[in-house]
Amino acid sequence: MERNVRYGAANTKYDPPPETDQSIMRITIDVKLDYTLSEEETVLLTLEAAQTDGQTVLEAGLEVNAVDQHRITGESGVGGRVCAVVTGGKLNLRYHASVQVSRDDTVLEQLAQMPLESLPPQVLTYLRPSRFCQSDLFTPFVQRQFGHLDGGAKIAAMRDWVASGLAYVIGSSNAATTAIDTFVAREGVCRDFTHLLCSFARAAGIPARYTSVYGADVQPPDFHAVAQVWLDGDWHIVDATGMGRAGALVVIACGRDAADVAFMETTWNATPVVQNIRVIQA
Protein backbone atom coordinates (compact mmCIF):
# COMPACT_ATOMS: atom_id res chain seq x y z
CA MET A 1 0.00 0.00 0.00
CA GLU A 2 1.34 3.40 -0.93
CA ARG A 3 1.73 5.77 1.97
CA ASN A 4 -0.36 8.91 2.27
CA VAL A 5 2.08 11.82 1.92
CA ARG A 6 1.72 15.53 2.61
CA TYR A 7 4.10 17.70 0.62
CA GLY A 8 2.97 21.23 1.37
CA ALA A 9 2.93 24.15 -1.05
CA ALA A 10 2.75 27.89 -0.68
CA ASN A 11 -0.68 29.34 -1.35
CA THR A 12 0.21 32.46 -3.31
CA LYS A 13 2.89 33.55 -5.76
CA TYR A 14 4.69 36.79 -4.98
CA ASP A 15 7.28 38.92 -6.69
CA PRO A 16 10.88 38.11 -5.70
CA PRO A 17 12.05 39.83 -2.50
CA PRO A 18 14.39 42.78 -3.01
CA GLU A 19 18.12 42.10 -3.22
CA THR A 20 20.00 42.96 -0.03
CA ASP A 21 23.55 42.65 1.21
CA GLN A 22 24.11 39.29 2.85
CA SER A 23 24.25 39.32 6.65
CA ILE A 24 23.59 36.79 9.36
CA MET A 25 19.85 36.39 9.82
CA ARG A 26 17.94 34.83 12.69
CA ILE A 27 14.68 33.14 11.76
CA THR A 28 12.07 31.81 14.16
CA ILE A 29 9.70 29.02 13.19
CA ASP A 30 6.46 27.96 14.86
CA VAL A 31 4.43 25.04 13.52
CA LYS A 32 1.07 23.79 14.76
CA LEU A 33 -0.43 20.67 13.20
CA ASP A 34 -3.62 18.95 14.33
CA TYR A 35 -4.74 16.00 12.21
CA THR A 36 -7.36 13.28 12.51
CA LEU A 37 -5.83 9.84 11.93
CA SER A 38 -6.84 6.21 12.15
CA GLU A 39 -7.16 4.81 15.68
CA GLU A 40 -3.44 3.95 15.80
CA GLU A 41 -0.94 5.22 13.24
CA THR A 42 2.80 5.33 12.76
CA VAL A 43 3.61 8.76 11.35
CA LEU A 44 6.85 9.88 9.69
CA LEU A 45 7.49 13.59 10.20
CA THR A 46 10.06 15.64 8.29
CA LEU A 47 9.65 19.22 9.48
CA GLU A 48 12.52 20.07 11.83
CA ALA A 49 15.13 22.58 10.70
CA ALA A 50 18.34 20.80 9.75
CA GLN A 51 21.70 21.39 11.40
CA THR A 52 23.57 21.83 8.14
CA ASP A 53 25.84 24.09 6.09
CA GLY A 54 24.81 27.74 6.09
CA GLN A 55 22.54 27.51 9.11
CA THR A 56 22.75 26.77 12.83
CA VAL A 57 19.79 25.65 14.92
CA LEU A 58 20.14 27.72 18.09
CA GLU A 59 17.20 26.20 19.90
CA ALA A 60 14.36 23.86 18.99
CA GLY A 61 11.54 21.91 20.57
CA LEU A 62 9.12 19.32 19.20
CA GLU A 63 6.04 18.10 21.07
CA VAL A 64 3.99 15.24 19.65
CA ASN A 65 1.27 13.25 21.40
CA ALA A 66 3.06 9.99 20.60
CA VAL A 67 3.31 6.88 22.78
CA ASP A 68 6.67 6.15 21.17
CA GLN A 69 9.01 8.10 18.92
CA HIS A 70 12.56 8.01 17.59
CA ARG A 71 14.63 9.90 15.05
CA ILE A 72 15.97 8.72 11.68
CA THR A 73 18.71 10.46 9.71
CA GLY A 74 17.45 12.26 6.60
CA GLU A 75 18.39 11.68 2.96
CA SER A 76 22.08 12.42 2.22
CA GLY A 77 22.56 13.01 5.95
CA VAL A 78 20.64 16.31 5.83
CA GLY A 79 18.10 16.82 8.60
CA GLY A 80 16.08 13.92 9.91
CA ARG A 81 12.71 12.30 10.38
CA VAL A 82 10.74 11.59 13.52
CA CYS A 83 8.95 8.26 13.57
CA ALA A 84 6.00 8.66 15.96
CA VAL A 85 3.40 6.11 17.04
CA VAL A 86 0.14 7.98 17.66
CA THR A 87 -2.94 6.48 19.31
CA GLY A 88 -6.44 7.81 19.87
CA GLY A 89 -7.03 8.94 16.31
CA LYS A 90 -5.52 12.42 16.69
CA LEU A 91 -2.13 13.93 15.93
CA ASN A 92 -1.27 17.08 17.88
CA LEU A 93 2.11 18.57 17.05
CA ARG A 94 3.90 21.73 18.09
CA TYR A 95 7.33 22.67 16.79
CA HIS A 96 9.42 25.73 17.56
CA ALA A 97 12.92 26.63 16.40
CA SER A 98 15.29 29.56 16.26
CA VAL A 99 17.78 29.30 13.42
CA GLN A 100 20.74 31.48 12.48
CA VAL A 101 21.24 31.62 8.71
CA SER A 102 24.63 32.70 7.32
CA ARG A 103 24.21 31.48 3.76
CA ASP A 104 25.36 33.67 0.86
CA ASP A 105 23.02 34.70 -1.93
CA THR A 106 25.10 33.15 -4.70
CA VAL A 107 25.58 34.66 -8.14
CA LEU A 108 24.99 31.56 -10.23
CA GLU A 109 26.72 32.87 -13.34
CA GLN A 110 30.06 32.80 -11.50
CA LEU A 111 29.88 29.06 -10.73
CA ALA A 112 31.36 26.28 -12.83
CA GLN A 113 29.92 22.87 -13.63
CA MET A 114 31.97 20.00 -12.25
CA PRO A 115 33.06 17.20 -14.62
CA LEU A 116 31.46 13.81 -14.02
CA GLU A 117 34.70 12.19 -12.90
CA SER A 118 35.14 14.74 -10.09
CA LEU A 119 31.68 14.36 -8.55
CA PRO A 120 31.59 12.86 -5.03
CA PRO A 121 29.79 9.47 -4.82
CA GLN A 122 26.95 10.89 -2.71
CA VAL A 123 26.18 13.47 -5.40
CA LEU A 124 25.82 11.04 -8.30
CA THR A 125 22.32 9.94 -7.36
CA TYR A 126 21.10 13.47 -8.07
CA LEU A 127 22.04 13.11 -11.73
CA ARG A 128 19.56 10.30 -12.26
CA PRO A 129 15.86 10.34 -13.15
CA SER A 130 13.41 9.83 -10.30
CA ARG A 131 9.69 9.24 -9.95
CA PHE A 132 8.70 12.90 -10.30
CA CYS A 133 11.77 14.16 -12.17
CA GLN A 134 12.02 12.23 -15.46
CA SER A 135 15.16 14.06 -16.47
CA ASP A 136 16.08 11.59 -19.22
CA LEU A 137 12.99 12.66 -21.17
CA PHE A 138 14.11 16.30 -21.21
CA THR A 139 17.58 15.81 -22.71
CA PRO A 140 16.73 16.89 -26.30
CA PHE A 141 14.81 19.97 -25.15
CA VAL A 142 17.51 21.00 -22.68
CA GLN A 143 20.22 20.67 -25.31
CA ARG A 144 18.28 22.81 -27.79
CA GLN A 145 17.21 25.44 -25.27
CA PHE A 146 20.28 25.72 -23.04
CA GLY A 147 23.10 23.92 -24.85
CA HIS A 148 24.92 27.16 -25.67
CA LEU A 149 25.43 27.94 -21.96
CA ASP A 150 27.67 26.47 -19.28
CA GLY A 151 27.63 25.91 -15.53
CA GLY A 152 25.80 28.41 -13.38
CA ALA A 153 24.78 30.51 -16.37
CA LYS A 154 22.90 27.48 -17.68
CA ILE A 155 21.14 26.98 -14.33
CA ALA A 156 20.21 30.68 -14.19
CA ALA A 157 18.68 30.42 -17.66
CA MET A 158 16.75 27.30 -16.63
CA ARG A 159 15.47 29.06 -13.51
CA ASP A 160 14.32 32.03 -15.58
CA TRP A 161 12.65 29.76 -18.14
CA VAL A 162 10.67 27.95 -15.44
CA ALA A 163 9.77 31.22 -13.70
CA SER A 164 8.48 32.84 -16.90
CA GLY A 165 7.19 29.72 -18.63
CA LEU A 166 4.94 28.45 -15.85
CA ALA A 167 1.92 30.06 -14.23
CA TYR A 168 1.66 29.67 -10.46
CA VAL A 169 -1.84 28.25 -10.05
CA ILE A 170 -3.16 26.87 -6.78
CA GLY A 171 -4.88 23.51 -7.21
CA SER A 172 -3.43 22.92 -10.68
CA SER A 173 -1.45 19.85 -9.56
CA ASN A 174 -1.67 17.02 -7.05
CA ALA A 175 0.53 14.44 -5.35
CA ALA A 176 0.86 12.44 -8.58
CA THR A 177 1.91 15.33 -10.87
CA THR A 178 5.32 14.81 -12.48
CA ALA A 179 7.75 17.18 -14.18
CA ILE A 180 6.49 16.01 -17.58
CA ASP A 181 2.90 16.82 -16.56
CA THR A 182 4.01 20.29 -15.45
CA PHE A 183 5.98 20.89 -18.65
CA VAL A 184 2.87 20.10 -20.70
CA ALA A 185 0.39 21.99 -18.51
CA ARG A 186 2.69 25.02 -18.03
CA GLU A 187 1.34 25.59 -14.52
CA GLY A 188 1.84 24.38 -10.98
CA VAL A 189 2.99 25.33 -7.47
CA CYS A 190 6.42 25.39 -5.80
CA ARG A 191 6.65 21.58 -5.82
CA ASP A 192 6.13 21.50 -9.59
CA PHE A 193 8.49 24.43 -10.33
CA THR A 194 11.20 22.60 -8.39
CA HIS A 195 10.61 19.23 -10.05
CA LEU A 196 10.93 20.82 -13.48
CA LEU A 197 14.08 22.76 -12.61
CA CYS A 198 15.71 19.63 -11.13
CA SER A 199 14.81 17.69 -14.25
CA PHE A 200 16.35 20.30 -16.55
CA ALA A 201 19.56 20.45 -14.50
CA ARG A 202 19.99 16.67 -14.39
CA ALA A 203 19.33 16.44 -18.12
CA ALA A 204 22.29 18.80 -18.57
CA GLY A 205 24.58 16.72 -16.35
CA ILE A 206 24.32 19.03 -13.32
CA PRO A 207 23.29 17.30 -10.06
CA ALA A 208 20.12 18.76 -8.58
CA ARG A 209 18.11 17.81 -5.54
CA TYR A 210 14.67 18.74 -4.25
CA THR A 211 14.85 20.63 -0.95
CA SER A 212 12.12 21.48 1.53
CA VAL A 213 12.55 24.76 3.40
CA TYR A 214 10.98 27.37 5.61
CA GLY A 215 11.11 30.85 4.14
CA ALA A 216 10.97 34.20 5.92
CA ASP A 217 9.86 35.83 2.64
CA VAL A 218 7.25 33.19 1.70
CA GLN A 219 3.83 34.67 2.36
CA PRO A 220 1.68 33.17 3.64
CA PRO A 221 4.25 30.86 5.29
CA ASP A 222 4.13 27.19 4.39
CA PHE A 223 6.37 24.23 3.71
CA HIS A 224 8.17 25.51 0.61
CA ALA A 225 10.18 23.73 -2.11
CA VAL A 226 13.38 24.86 -3.85
CA ALA A 227 16.16 23.18 -5.80
CA GLN A 228 19.80 22.77 -4.81
CA VAL A 229 22.33 22.38 -7.62
CA TRP A 230 25.91 21.11 -7.37
CA LEU A 231 28.28 23.70 -8.84
CA ASP A 232 31.90 24.53 -7.96
CA GLY A 233 32.01 21.69 -5.45
CA ASP A 234 29.04 22.71 -3.29
CA TRP A 235 25.25 22.83 -3.16
CA HIS A 236 23.54 26.12 -4.06
CA ILE A 237 19.87 27.00 -3.49
CA VAL A 238 17.79 28.07 -6.50
CA ASP A 239 14.13 29.08 -6.12
CA ALA A 240 12.35 29.21 -9.48
CA THR A 241 9.19 30.65 -7.90
CA GLY A 242 11.08 33.80 -6.87
CA MET A 243 9.56 33.66 -3.38
CA GLY A 244 12.75 33.18 -1.41
CA ARG A 245 16.45 33.92 -1.52
CA ALA A 246 19.12 31.61 -0.16
CA GLY A 247 20.00 33.88 2.76
CA ALA A 248 16.43 33.85 4.09
CA LEU A 249 15.63 30.15 3.80
CA VAL A 250 15.91 27.43 6.43
CA VAL A 251 16.61 23.96 5.01
CA ILE A 252 14.56 21.09 6.40
CA ALA A 253 15.53 18.12 4.22
CA CYS A 254 16.50 17.14 0.68
CA GLY A 255 16.00 14.24 -1.70
CA ARG A 256 15.55 13.17 -5.29
CA ASP A 257 12.06 14.68 -5.42
CA ALA A 258 9.06 15.45 -3.20
CA ALA A 259 8.57 11.79 -2.33
CA ASP A 260 11.77 11.86 -0.27
CA VAL A 261 10.89 14.90 1.87
CA ALA A 262 7.13 14.89 2.52
CA PHE A 263 6.53 16.72 5.80
CA MET A 264 4.16 13.94 6.92
CA GLU A 265 3.67 10.34 5.83
CA THR A 266 0.94 8.04 7.08
CA THR A 267 -0.34 4.62 6.04
CA TRP A 268 -4.00 5.62 6.21
CA ASN A 269 -5.82 8.83 5.46
CA ALA A 270 -4.94 11.90 7.53
CA THR A 271 -7.45 14.76 7.71
CA PRO A 272 -6.14 18.24 8.61
CA VAL A 273 -7.90 20.11 11.40
CA VAL A 274 -5.32 22.84 12.02
CA GLN A 275 -2.17 23.56 10.01
CA ASN A 276 -0.41 26.79 10.93
CA ILE A 277 3.17 27.65 10.00
CA ARG A 278 4.70 30.91 11.19
CA VAL A 279 8.14 31.97 9.95
CA ILE A 280 9.54 35.37 10.82
CA GLN A 281 12.87 37.17 10.66
CA ALA A 282 13.80 37.96 14.23
Side-chain angles (χ1 to χ4, degrees):
M1 178 181 295
E2 184 169 337
R3 296 181 66 79
N4 179 34
V5 295
R6 302 275 174 171
Y7 299 119
N11 295 318
T12 310
K13 186 172 187 298
Y14 290 84
D15 292 332
E19 294 294 329
T20 61
D21 293 334
Q22 175 61 31
S23 60
I24 293 176
M25 180 181 295
R26 180 173 293 192
I27 295 174
T28 60
I29 301 159
D30 287 287
V31 177
K32 178 180 180 180
L33 300 180
D34 292 336
Y35 273 74
T36 300
L37 308 174
S38 61
E39 186 61 25
E40 180 171 326
E41 180 71 276
T42 299
V43 183
L44 285 178
L45 301 164
T46 308
L47 47 72
E48 295 178 292
Q51 197 77 263
T52 189
D53 293 344
Q55 63 188 50
T56 302
V57 180
L58 302 175
E59 58 174 317
L62 176 67
E63 298 179 6
V64 187
N65 62 320
V67 297
D68 182 53
Q69 67 183 65
H70 64 276
R71 281 180 165 75
I72 305 168
T73 302
E75 303 289 334
S76 296
V78 177
R81 292 184 174 89
V82 173
C83 181
V85 179
V86 179
T87 60
K90 292 183 179 179
L91 169 71
N92 302 119
L93 179 151
R94 305 294 182 267
Y95 173 65
H96 169 79
S98 177
V99 184
Q100 181 174 285
V101 180
S102 55
R103 189 179 298 111
D104 291 333
D105 293 325
T106 307
V107 179
L108 289 173
E109 289 82 355
Q110 297 176 356
L111 303 175
Q113 179 175 347
M114 308 302 292
L116 181 63
E117 62 271 17
S118 71
L119 295 178
Q122 67 272 21
V123 171
L124 291 174
T125 189
Y126 298 110
L127 277 176
R128 302 182 182 116
S130 61
R131 176 181 178 182
F132 295 115
C133 299
Q134 310 103 313
S135 52
D136 53 322
L137 303 182
F138 286 102
T139 303
F141 170 79
V142 166
Q143 180 57 35
R144 290 195 305 271
Q145 188 74 27
F146 309 108
H148 62 293
L149 298 169
D150 294 307
K154 181 175 289 189
I155 293 296
M158 292 175 177
R159 175 202 59 201
D160 294 345
W161 190 98
V162 174
S164 62
L166 302 186
Y168 197 100
V169 180
I170 303 302
S172 60
S173 62
N174 55 46
T177 302
T178 69
I180 286 291
D181 297 328
T182 301
F183 184 74
V184 172
R186 292 292 202 272
E187 60 184 16
V189 292
C190 63
R191 173 184 183 273
D192 310 299
F193 280 54
T194 300
H195 281 156
L196 191 55
L197 180 56
C198 286
S199 298
F200 284 178
R202 294 178 197 174
I206 298 174
R209 62 190 190 186
Y210 182 105
T211 302
S212 59
V213 299
Y214 293 110
D217 296 317
V218 176
Q219 294 296 330
D222 203 346
F223 298 104
H224 189 50
V226 300
Q228 284 184 300
V229 296
W230 184 265
L231 294 167
D232 260 351
D234 205 353
W235 290 108
H236 302 275
I237 290 176
V238 185
D239 187 354
T241 71
M243 289 188 195
R245 56 183 183 83
L249 296 174
V250 174
V251 170
I252 303 169
C254 64
R256 298 162 299 172
D257 52 38
D260 286 339
V261 298
F263 73 83
M264 185 169 74
E265 299 177 62
T266 60
T267 300
W268 307 106
N269 189 50
T271 303
V273 178
V274 175
Q275 181 168 308
N276 291 333
I277 296 100
R278 182 169 176 263
V279 184
I280 61 173
Q281 178 182 345

